[in-house]
């Protein structure tokens, strides 16, 4: 029995790493070197006292490749633990976007109204522009950005996903 | 992110405050001594001058000056492979470090424990494009198991200790430590090996009882079982090979081996089928194809072994034991995956085998299987035609057979390194290895130029042993400068060149795949290897026909110093048997005349 053909699924790979020089480079170098895809990437220290950071990578791959990603990442020296979260593993995945809209008059009012409906907060405003802050699932952010497009969407900055398992399970 | 920080008990010393204060370079050497290092293979340069000065002022550790940094790594690899210790390399910054990359990746793919120290510009100069500055940790990251750029004096001792731990534990591999010059000059605190090394690094070496039990249950029920063993057995130490021999004996199963695993079973053992894979024996490949339980031990289903994947060992129940969990189900989906050190896996299989009744599933009746294997053996797939007339052209296979026979006759412990290509495969096929750690070859990366520096490393480790580099004339020119190292240290290395005036394996593939258009594979303008040997203060010999072969081999083996033997062999000889690329194990080419069957798909494969 050899590698079977399977269809790709979207997954968040959450990686707990030692907070040390080069740890992120090892992980992303492994992804590019072995031909795995990175759709989004977040990384930050999550436990200062134990020098640990968490990397979240969104990727799309077959279950076999996801298993390989986990195994290959797990064997990196500074990696503590790896979780692979697909639709089958209940988890929460959230992302933040800062969205700059340059508009005046009617379009400006429309943008503000839609922002309210999405619970996007204006965190900066000038006579001709807004910066909205919006947090949520990635598709909600996509929808908001699409709605802003005809209203003067000028620039978008997104964080990429942070994810965590639901319930008492921990990484 | 922060630099790796490690707590040490020692307070930082003030520079020059008292004479017991060690410099970073002295701390480095003290750690090496603590780690049991006896030999460093290296090449000096600006950034490592303080380390070389510290080497000059001590005599616990010997330094071997190579002639190229790549050779330092290959020498260290062979030193490690032939002793079971960690090989140590020291090179300067910039080009010194970049020259090691091939060697490091070679060690990575063959799982050889090596620690490479590279000089670096001083910490304040990092990132300024300073003279001989390179982003060494960046460049070597995918070529090493782990690497460090030391930025603080107090990290020198703990990181170097840890580097050895990481190199030798779990699946062994190369570790690089980049040492900025100012940290080697300035004072640094010494500390013992940390009790808890890198907190996230916890390789699993002890296999689970339950998976061993499942594996042995399948083995007990097997009618056509086969062990398929690899370099992991060699890495697990001679005890692992001893345990394997016992397991093969107890079970009565046939055993085949990868290129990297040769020597774990005695070549002449009646249960040993020879090497499997692209240039493996007919019986080994047919057994792999036809077995009903395949037990992979410390091997990794490399593409040279599997051939066409969807036809690899079809229908067999597959057991795979490896120390690296990422190898299991990587290429071939298996039924039982065992994570653990090969020695422990085999020992526990033996225990389980002994305590489980024989007929848990069905009585083992392997007589038929052995009968079938012996039928396959009759094919004599390693056979070749040698005209014995004194003026006849020497066949390379015959030259290796004679070399093997005459080497055995010396009664000396013999280590063989190779370069990469046809001669390497012929050596694997025809030079029978009876003990582990005697066979030094570049398997995973296939590095031409490996053999000569590897012979240096092996001879340094075993000064009284017979060390032979079975070489091709093209490969050996890639690191031929090491003849100078051999001369300097009076190493009695024997370089046995099978000279067919072609990059033979390239020529063979061009013949098979590209209608014999020998594009750039002819070894034009070769040196006179006899004069070359003499110019490097060694002995040069040449055999041009059958009548000269035995005399040259005998003279080479009897000579107490280094010898280069130029064995002029048949130019058109191809390495058979062969699984052509894209084909299955039961579609082997056994000799010339079957060459037109390579699929379009196969032509795409390396």
């Amino acid at each position: 029995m050899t590698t079977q053909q399977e269809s790709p699924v979207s997954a968040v790979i959450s990686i707990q790493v030692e907070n040390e020089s080069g740890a992120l480079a090892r992980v992303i170098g492994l992804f590019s070197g072995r031909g795995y895809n990175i759709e989004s990437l977040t990384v930050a220290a999550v436990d200062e006292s134990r020098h640990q950071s968490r990397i979240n990578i969104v990727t799309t791959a077959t279950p076999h490749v996801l298993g390989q990603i986990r195994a290959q990442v797990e064997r990196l020296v500074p990696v503590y633990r790896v979780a692979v979260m697909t639709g089958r593993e209940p988890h929460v995945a959230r992302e933040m976007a800062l969205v700059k809209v340059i508009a005046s008059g009617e379009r400006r009012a429309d943008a503000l109204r839609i922002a309210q409906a999405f619970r996007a907060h204006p965190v900066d405003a000038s006579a001709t522009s807004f910066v909205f802050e919006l947090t949520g699932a990635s598709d909600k952010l996509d929808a908001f950005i699409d709605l802003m497009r005809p209203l003067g969407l000028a620039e978008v900055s997104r964080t990429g996903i942070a994810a965590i398992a639901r319930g008492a399970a921990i990484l | 992110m922060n630099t790796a920080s490690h707590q040490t008990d020692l307070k930082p010393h003030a520079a020059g405050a008292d004479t017991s204060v060690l410099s970073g370079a002295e701390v480095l050497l003290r750690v090496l001594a603590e780690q049991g290092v006896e030999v460093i293979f290296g090449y000096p340069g600006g950034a490592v001058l303080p380390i070389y000065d510290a080497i000059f002022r001590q005599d616990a550790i010997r330094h071997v000056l190579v002639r190229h940094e790549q050779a330092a790594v290959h020498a260290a690899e062979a030193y490690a492979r032939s002793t079971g210790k960690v090989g140590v390399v020291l090179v300067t910054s910039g080009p010194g470090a970049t020259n090691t990359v091939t060697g490091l990746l070679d060690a990575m793919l063959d799982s050889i424990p090596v620690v490479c120290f590279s000089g670096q510009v001083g910490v304040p100069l990092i990132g300024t494009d300073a003279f001989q500055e390179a982003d060494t940790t960046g460049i070597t990251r995918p070529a090493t198991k782990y690497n460090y750029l030391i930025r603080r004096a107090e990290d020198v001792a703990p990181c170097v200790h840890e580097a050895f731990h990481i190199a030798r534990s779990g699946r062994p591999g190369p570790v690089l430590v980049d040492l900025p010059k100012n940290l080697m000059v300035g004072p640094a605190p010494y500390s013992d090996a940390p009790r808890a090394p890198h907190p996230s690094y916890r390789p699993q070496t002890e296999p689970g009882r339950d998976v061993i039990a499942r594996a042995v249950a399948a083995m007990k029920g097997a009618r056509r079982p086969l062990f398929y063993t690899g370099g992991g057995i060699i890495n697990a130490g001679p005890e692992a090979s001893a345990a394997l021999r016992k397991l093969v004996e107890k079970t009565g199963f046939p055993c085949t081996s990868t290129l990297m695993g040769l020597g774990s079973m005695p070549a002449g053992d009646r249960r040993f089928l020879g090497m499997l894979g692209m240039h493996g024996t007919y019986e080994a490949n047919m057994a792999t194809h036809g077995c009903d339980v395949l037990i992979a031990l410390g091997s990794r289903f490399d593409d040279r072994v599997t051939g066409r994947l969807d036809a690899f060992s079809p229908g067999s129940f597959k057991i795979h034991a490896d120390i690296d969990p990422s190898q299991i189900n990587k290429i071939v989906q298996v039924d039982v995956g065992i994570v653990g050190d090969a020695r422990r896996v085999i020992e526990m299989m033996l225990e389980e085998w002994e305590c489980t009744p024989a007929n848990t599933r069905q009585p083992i009746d392997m007589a038929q299987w052995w009968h079938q294997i012996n039928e396959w053996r009759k094919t004599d797939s390693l056979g070749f035609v040698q005209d014995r007339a004194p003026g006849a052209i020497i066949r390379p296979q015959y030259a290796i057979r004679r070399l093997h026979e005459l080497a055995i006759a010396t009664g000396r412990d013999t280590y063989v390194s190779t370069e990469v290509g046809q001669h390497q495969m012929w050596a694997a096929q025809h030079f029978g290895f009876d003990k582990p750690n005697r066979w030094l070859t570049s398997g995973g990366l296939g590095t031409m130029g490996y053999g000569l520096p590897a012979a240096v490393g092996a001879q340094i480790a075993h000064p009284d042993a017979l060390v032979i580099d079975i070489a091709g004339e093209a490969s050996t020119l890639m690191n031929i400068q090491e003849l100078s190292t051999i001369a300097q240290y009076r190493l009695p290395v024997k370089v046995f060149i099978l000279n067919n005036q072609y990059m033979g394996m390239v020529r063979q593939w061009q013949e098979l795949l590209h209608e014999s258009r020998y594009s750039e594979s002819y070894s034009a303008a070769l040196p006179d290897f006899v004069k070359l040997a003499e110019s490097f203060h060694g002995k040069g010999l040449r055999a041009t026909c059958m009548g000269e072969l035995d005399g040259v081999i005998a003279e080479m083996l009897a000579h107490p110093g280094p010898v280069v033997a130029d064995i002029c062999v048949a130019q058109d000889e191809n390495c058979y048997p062969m699984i052509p690329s894209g084909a299955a194990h039961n579609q082997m080419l056994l000799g010339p005349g079957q060459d037109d069957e390579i699929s379009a798909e196969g032509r795409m494969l390396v």
Side-chain angles (χ1 to χ4, degrees), chain B residues 16 22 30 44 56 82 84 127 132 136 195 201 203 212 216 218 241 243 264 290 316 319 357 382 408 442 518 599:
Chain B
L22 300 177
R30 189 168 156 193
F56 188 84
S82 67
Q132 293 193 330
T136 301
R195 249 180 242 107
Y201 177 69
I212 294 283
V216 170
S241 294
S264 53
S316 65
I319 298 161
L382 299 183
I408 287 179
S442 170
Y518 298 136
S599 62

Side-chain angles (χ1 to χ4, degrees), chain A residues 2 20-21 26 64 75 77, chain B residues 2 146 198 200 309 324 329:
Chain A
T2 53
E20 64 175 32
S21 174
R26 281 177 217 284
H64 172 77
R75 76 172 180 156
V77 168
Chain B
N2 299 330
Y146 194 59
H198 214 290
S200 54
L309 258 187
D324 177 356
N329 294 330

Side-chain angles (χ1 to χ4, degrees), chain B residues 179-228:
Chain B
L179 299 164
K181 187 172 185 179
N182 62 322
L183 300 186
M184 294 295 100
V185 175
Y190 175 79
S191 58
D192 291 329
R195 249 180 242 107
H198 214 290
S200 54
Y201 177 69
R202 293 282 177 270
Q204 182 186 343
T205 55
E206 188 70 7
R209 259 298 150 204
D210 50 333
V211 282
I212 294 283
R214 280 176 56 210
V216 170
M219 286 157 64
K220 288 264 173 180
R223 304 178 74 86
R224 300 186 311 279
L226 179 68
F227 286 115
Y228 145 48

Side-chain angles (χ1 to χ4, degrees), chain A residues 1-4 18-26 43 51 53 64 68 71-72 75 77-80, chain B residues 1-2 5 141 145-147 151 166 171 198-201 309-310 318 324 326-327 329-333:
Chain A
M1 195 172 58
T2 53
T3 311
Q4 58 275 74
E18 178 80 2
N19 183 0
E20 64 175 32
S21 174
L24 178 63
R26 281 177 217 284
V43 56
H51 306 284
S53 293
H64 172 77
Q68 267 299 299
Q72 294 290 350
R75 76 172 180 156
V77 168
V79 169
Y80 285 94
Chain B
M1 289 194 184
N2 299 330
S5 60
R141 200 170 284 127
K145 181 174 175 182
Y146 194 59
N147 62 14
R151 290 170 195 269
I166 290 174
R171 180 179 181 179
H198 214 290
S200 54
Y201 177 69
L309 258 187
D310 59 7
K318 295 180 182 70
D324 177 356
S326 74
Q327 299 308 304
N329 294 330
K330 183 181 75 173
I331 304 291
V332 169
Q333 292 289 318

